[in-house]
Amino acid sequence: MSSEADASKADRPRAFSARVRLAGSTIARVGGLLIAVIIIMTLFAAASDGRFLSFNNLLGLLRYMSTVAIVGLGLTLVIVVGEIDLSFASVYGFSAMVVAVSWILWGVPIYVAIPLGLLAAVLVGAFNGFFTTIVGIPSFIATLGSSTLVFGFTILISNTASFNPTYPPTGREIDPSQLDFFTGLSNQSLPLGFPMQALWMLGAAMIFAFLLGRSVFGFRLKAIGGNPQAARLARLPVRRYKIVAFVLCSTMAALAAILDFAFIGSTQVNAGQSLLFPVFAAVIIGGASLAGGRGTVVGTLGGALLLAVLANGLALISAGAFAQQMLLGTVTIAAVVLDRFTQKLR
Amino acid sequence: MSGNGAAGAADGSVSGVRITDLHKRYGDTLALDGLTLSARPGEVLGIAGPNGAGKSTMIKVLAGEVTADSGAILIDDVDWSPAIGASRVAIVHQEPQVFPNLTVADNLLVGRERRRFMRHGLNDDERRLMEDLAIADVADQRLESLPLAVQQRTEIARALAQDARVFLFDEPNSALTEDESDDLFRRMRRLADAGRVVILVSHRLAELVAQCDRVAIILDGRCRTELRGDGLTQDAIARELVVGRTQRAAASAVARREGGSAGASLVLSGWTHQQGEFRDIELDIRTGEIVALVGVEGSGARELVRSIAGFEKGSGRIEVAGRQGSRAVAAGTGFVAADRQESLFSNLSVGENIVSRLSGEITSFLGALRRARMAQLAAKFRDSFSVRVHNLAQPIRSLSGGNQQKVALAAAIIKRPEVLVLEEPTRGVDVASKAEIYTLMREYASDHHAIVMFCTEVPEVYEAADRAHVVSDGRLSPPLFVAQYGDVESLASDITRLERHGMVEALAMTAAPD
């Protein structure tokens, strides 16, 4: 479909048009997602006597999707460059725990504890990137290993305890102003009750949309993911870009973890472990290809929204836990099958 | 050499393989254009042809990987297709198609297990077969731990166990030592003597002459001619391969250089490959020159060319535009691989491919892409490279091979490297695009740059290069100056001679003219 549309614009002088083509496929994908979301929302609205469409519920949906979306943004980069990261779920729990332990147990001010948590994630990302690009083992293996390794560290530093800054362990004091700052990260009261985390998500999405769609970084990321061998022979900085992608992926997992920690008020050893599948599903539903070279920010946001709508709607109509799992699996496979099909049509 | 192989197969006999009027089209290109060939049992039929002539398509049809559009293949006068008799035809590649994780014996058995779920031993026939092929001693070893030659013999044994009728050897010895390849050819001859049909596809003219009873020359998807008996010489094959392909394009009529300008662009000294594919190379290329390094697969020519761009490791002295070391190589050279799978990004548009190697030129603050600038640059190079495309946004795959190759070249030249390093710059490209590519290369060289290219085809050397060196067995021949040749056939003869005799005669030969 895109080539015909392009041909008509052939002689417009500034139609460089990579944009035209990419926009074409993105519109198809995002349009399809939007239609799916609208249909599902209508069904839920009918099934829940309109509760689903209440203003508060819709805002809750935005908050609910933001964790998956923020982590998904980072994962999108890794997928686009043709690698895989299985460690972000463990990184999520680890960096939240680094913040919790250093702040609550060791008495490090929160303004230092948060950078520490982010730094921990950067190190894990650099570790993943090092073993994938320089040592040369497949990222599937490297990140599977680092995932477990990092989980071990989480257990080590937390000693399997849970942490809640409002109720610190006996003998520890939390400065109230620091606590206010921390909870404020996710709990500012915004006009109309707009969730703070959704604001973070939108900010991150804008930065990532620029990175992936409008910067030379994203352009080369796509080239490297599309054909790593050609990228090497063209002397593109393959290793450096892959390492940066891994680091950004881990960092986004840490950001989401810290925001969730601030919102929920506590963290424990296995925090984030259940994120692995939904985040992958969101990115894949959003049109990223595991083969590399393809993926968009808008798609990933759409994928996260679709998952949030499903989870929230099913909960509202009390469909039971089994329904959510079954639908999640079905939607993921269906999205990829549909993608195959539309690719062939093109 | 033996002309007595035609055991019991008088001319006109119907047994053996007969390929009639085979056609195969890929998009715009006609890979097979009425190929007609016959091979009789008891003889070794050689097949020679330049890249893109249709050899590999023919092999793929026989291997069942590709279906021909029309035409017939008869084996022993019975219609054959891969669906009904895949095991009748055995293809022996340079890379054996075996199961490296299994033992030699298991390789022989796999796919023909007589009883399900139960392991079983070899029967007498199979054991004899393994002894014949000298693989009985290693029957219990895993194939991946054994040399390539053993893997190939296992592949042959596998085919014999399945009672294959036709054996097609596709450049089987490019990675073998001399002894191993002699052994392979002896076995090949024995297969023919046993009444099987044997076909050898090779680039090495000496082998074709030594091993085959008959050599068919394939050009443009057809069998152009057959050489046999006294007519079968290396020189004759070399001439047939280039005949009719030599209308020197207008552009290449530009005065050839014999020395280039004063500035040395690239200097190699004592340049030696880390894995030993080439040794002690001395080479000096000046700006404005196009130099061809010619060699068959396995000669070291490809590795040498890649090493100049820094994609194979070499030791010794390398100097690009007056600066030494790997940084100078990275900054001063641009490389385009022969295989477009290695030079283009299929998920990017035509325009994006053209500018894919740029960074500073197409970005502003914070690395933001300047789309208008990208479009402008891409359009400029599209025009100067006459890439025929409706719109720069088209997917790169929608272009013909020739246009894709022009995009690949544009992507490298846009960075204006001091030394442009090309690998078979017109492989799989139509004739018109070839001429255009040669013109582009000439223009770029004339603009104070140097070009080194790896070539396997003499016409390409004749049309594009100023100077050629033959690489054989990892050594560089003295230069052949293309301007001194009035016709491509004589250039082909000299190149063949250098490939055949290596350096000894070469030294004697070039002492005379220059």
Side-chain angles (χ1 to χ4, degrees):
Chain A
M1 49 158 280
S2 59
S3 61
E4 271 183 27
D6 297 344
S8 64
K9 295 173 187 157
D11 294 312
R12 206 190 293 164
R14 276 189 44 187
F16 177 51
S17 12
R19 203 166 19 162
V20 177
R21 179 177 72 94
L22 286 178
S25 64
T26 309
I27 287 165
R29 153 65 60 163
V30 172
L33 259 176
L34 204 68
I35 292 168
V37 168
I38 290 172
I39 292 174
I40 295 171
M41 285 177 87
T42 317
L43 290 177
F44 281 136
S48 67
D49 302 327
R51 268 179 302 151
F52 183 80
L53 288 180
S54 76
F55 188 66
N56 276 340
N57 192 53
L58 291 182
L59 285 181
L61 232 122
L62 274 181
R63 194 208 79 74
Y64 186 87
M65 74 175 272
S66 62
T67 301
V68 168
I70 290 173
V71 184
L73 289 173
L75 182 64
T76 305
L77 297 189
V78 172
I79 302 267
V80 164
V81 82
E83 300 289 349
I84 252 183
D85 189 344
L86 298 174
S87 69
F88 60 81
S90 290
V91 171
Y92 176 102
F94 180 54
S95 42
M97 197 52 83
V98 168
V99 173
V101 168
S102 58
W103 183 32
I104 298 170
L105 274 191
W106 304 341
V108 175
I110 187 67
Y111 318 107
V112 180
I114 289 175
L116 272 182
L118 293 172
L119 179 69
V122 168
L123 289 179
V124 179
F127 178 95
N128 289 336
F130 173 81
F131 278 96
T132 301
T133 61
I134 295 174
V135 180
I137 58 180
S139 53
F140 186 93
I141 312 281
T143 59
L144 188 65
S146 70
S147 175
T148 313
L149 194 66
V150 164
F151 189 48
F153 271 107
T154 311
I155 298 173
L156 175 73
I157 61 170
S158 69
N159 206 6
T160 69
S162 298
F163 291 89
N164 185 331
T166 320
Y167 306 103
T170 42
R172 310 280 167 188
E173 292 254 335
I174 293 296
D175 182 295
S177 68
Q178 291 191 17
L179 184 60
D180 279 354
F181 166 79
F182 185 62
T183 44
L185 288 177
S186 296
N187 291 297
Q188 299 285 1
S189 58
L190 297 171
L192 301 172
F194 195 82
M196 184 71 188
Q197 272 173 289
L199 212 59
W200 281 99
M201 172 184 79
L202 293 176
M206 277 162 69
I207 293 172
F208 273 69
F210 167 78
L211 274 182
L212 201 54
R214 302 265 152 172
S215 77
V216 71
F217 175 73
F219 179 49
R220 291 181 154 190
L221 222 50
K222 276 179 224 150
I224 294 168
N227 191 342
Q229 174 67 354
R232 189 178 75 90
L233 295 178
R235 292 194 218 289
L236 299 187
V238 177
R239 288 177 172 179
R240 185 148 44 93
Y241 274 43
K242 283 189 173 176
I243 292 174
V244 171
F246 278 113
V247 167
L248 285 176
C249 181
S250 290
T251 309
M252 293 310 278
L255 176 66
I258 293 166
L259 293 174
D260 275 353
F261 180 19
F263 182 81
I264 300 165
S266 71
T267 188
Q268 67 279 333
V269 167
N270 62 355
Q273 293 293 321
S274 62
L275 273 179
L276 189 61
F277 186 75
V279 172
F280 261 102
V283 174
I284 299 300
I285 292 171
S289 156
L290 282 181
R294 217 155 59 86
T296 59
V297 165
V298 187
T300 298
L301 291 184
L305 176 63
L306 182 70
L307 296 186
V309 166
L310 275 178
N312 175 273
L314 289 170
L316 270 183
I317 62 170
S318 318
F322 72 94
Q324 187 170 340
Q325 294 299 319
M326 285 161 76
L327 263 173
L328 183 55
T330 312
V331 167
T332 307
I333 294 175
V336 178
V337 171
L338 268 177
D339 213 38
R340 272 280 155 82
F341 186 64
T342 51
Q343 289 262 306
K344 271 188 191 148
L345 287 185
R346 224 172 282 148
Chain B
M1 267 185 258
S2 63
N4 59 349
D11 274 17
S13 152
V14 289
S15 70
V17 178
R18 274 204 299 164
I19 297 173
T20 320
D21 206 22
L22 217 52
H23 282 84
K24 176 71 193 177
R25 175 184 287 280
Y26 292 108
D28 297 345
T29 41
L30 206 52
L32 293 178
D33 183 16
L35 179 72
T36 298
L37 259 186
S38 65
R40 290 177 283 273
E43 70 167 359
V44 176
L45 171 69
I47 291 183
N51 288 326
K55 277 177 313 181
S56 48
T57 309
M58 181 198 79
I59 295 168
K60 281 183 186 152
V61 170
L62 285 170
E65 287 167 30
V66 162
T67 318
D69 298 335
S70 66
I73 300 173
L74 281 82
I75 296 182
D76 296 339
D77 214 22
V78 179
D79 252 326
W80 175 88
S81 80
I84 54 172
S87 64
R88 302 279 283 157
V89 178
I91 316 263
V92 181
H93 292 285
Q94 163 194 345
E95 284 290 325
Q97 312 290 303
V98 288
F99 303 93
N101 55 332
L102 301 181
T103 65
V104 172
D106 284 348
N107 261 281
L108 220 60
L109 294 171
V110 76
R112 303 182 301 116
E113 297 88 345
R114 278 150 296 200
R115 252 175 279 134
R116 283 169 190 239
F117 309 124
M118 286 233 321
R119 278 186 77 87
H120 51 81
L122 300 161
N123 65 23
D124 289 345
D125 285 347
E126 286 156 355
R127 216 165 282 127
R128 197 163 346 108
L129 193 61
M130 292 183 72
E131 270 158 27
D132 275 353
L133 282 155
I135 51 176
D137 295 346
V138 291
D140 295 329
Q141 292 185 30
R142 273 150 64 106
L143 211 51
E144 60 200 348
S145 62
L146 296 166
L148 199 60
V150 176
Q151 299 189 18
Q152 275 181 339
R153 293 207 296 273
T154 307
E155 190 175 30
I156 295 171
R158 221 176 113 68
L160 282 171
Q162 293 173 5
D163 202 24
R165 179 81 176 122
V166 181
F167 283 79
L168 196 157
F169 290 82
D170 176 20
E171 305 271 351
N173 62 332
S174 25
L176 298 185
T177 66
E178 209 168 315
D179 287 347
E180 286 170 339
S181 82
D182 286 347
D183 179 67
L184 180 69
F185 287 136
R186 267 197 302 281
R187 292 178 193 285
M188 196 175 79
R189 172 56 65 185
R190 213 175 301 156
L191 286 172
D193 290 343
R196 307 204 187 236
V197 180
V198 178
I199 300 173
L200 170 67
V201 177
S202 178
H203 263 115
R204 301 187 186 190
L205 308 189
E207 270 161 32
L208 288 169
V209 171
Q211 308 302 336
C212 301
D213 305 303
R214 214 158 38 102
V215 171
I217 312 286
I218 296 186
L219 270 181
D220 304 325
R222 267 182 255 200
C223 177
R224 184 55 62 94
T225 183
E226 279 185 12
L227 300 169
R228 69 180 85 205
D230 291 340
L232 180 54
T233 63
Q234 290 186 48
D235 224 43
I237 301 177
R239 282 163 184 273
E240 289 295 342
L241 284 178
V242 298
V243 93
R245 305 173 75 224
T246 55
Q247 61 291 44
R248 220 177 228 186
S252 57
V254 174
R256 300 288 169 131
R257 296 151 190 272
E258 285 188 23
S261 65
S265 239
L266 173 78
V267 179
L268 297 181
S269 178
W271 189 241
T272 301
H273 191 236
Q274 217 168 47
Q275 274 94 48
E277 293 293 332
F278 55 81
R279 295 176 304 284
D280 296 326
I281 302 293
E282 305 286 330
L283 186 63
D284 190 334
I285 299 179
R286 297 174 176 278
T287 56
E289 257 191 317
I290 301 181
V291 174
L293 301 178
V294 189
V296 294
E297 214 60 62
S299 64
R302 182 186 293 275
E303 289 78 8
L304 175 57
V305 167
R306 285 204 166 207
S307 78
I308 291 172
F311 294 115
E312 287 279 336
K313 286 223 169 88
S315 61
R317 197 164 69 93
I318 184 164
E319 202 181 295
V320 178
R323 293 193 297 135
Q324 278 193 47
S326 58
R327 277 178 175 242
V329 168
T333 65
F335 178 70
V336 181
D339 188 346
R340 283 183 285 278
Q341 302 280 356
E342 291 189 330
S343 57
L344 292 171
F345 302 100
S346 63
N347 59 331
L348 301 185
S349 71
V350 174
E352 287 174 317
N353 265 285
I354 293 177
V355 298
S356 60
R357 297 194 187 191
L358 297 179
S359 57
E361 300 86 334
I362 54 169
T363 53
S364 58
F365 183 60
L366 279 178
L369 288 175
R370 293 163 63 196
R371 296 276 181 181
R373 177 93 180 112
M374 287 166 80
Q376 190 194 342
L377 275 171
K380 184 178 137 204
F381 273 79
R382 173 198 60 198
D383 295 342
S384 60
F385 278 64
S386 36
V387 177
R388 274 171 278 285
V389 56
H390 291 299
N391 186 302
L392 287 168
Q394 266 178 248
I396 188 74
R397 277 168 301 186
S398 64
L399 266 55
S400 70
N403 280 308
Q404 286 190 24
Q405 184 63 12
K406 282 186 261 174
V407 170
L409 270 180
I413 285 181
I414 203 167
K415 293 266 283 184
R416 310 211 66 77
E418 196 69 33
V419 179
L420 182 62
V421 183
L422 305 176
E423 211 177 62
E424 301 180 74
T426 62
R427 191 163 91 183
V429 163
D430 59 283
V431 180
S433 300
K434 266 186 190 173
E436 285 175 343
I437 288 171
Y438 297 145
T439 310
L440 290 166
M441 287 166 57
R442 177 57 62 192
E443 281 169 9
Y444 188 66
S446 306
D447 190 20
H448 309 291
H449 298 98
I451 300 182
V452 194
M453 59 175 175
F454 164 59
C455 292
T456 55
E457 307 294 339
V458 178
E460 182 154 288
V461 178
Y462 184 71
E463 291 193 38
D466 299 312
R467 164 154 72 106
H469 292 269
V470 174
V471 182
S472 103
D473 201 19
R475 303 271 184 175
L476 204 61
S477 79
L480 303 173
F481 292 102
V482 177
Q484 294 176 349
Y485 292 88
D487 58 284
V488 67
E489 285 86 353
S490 50
L491 179 63
S493 294
D494 278 2
I495 287 179
T496 312
R497 200 166 303 141
L498 285 171
E499 277 175 346
R500 193 181 345 161
H501 295 295
M503 297 310 108
V504 185
E505 187 186 322
L507 289 170
M509 189 183 85
T510 45
D514 201 49

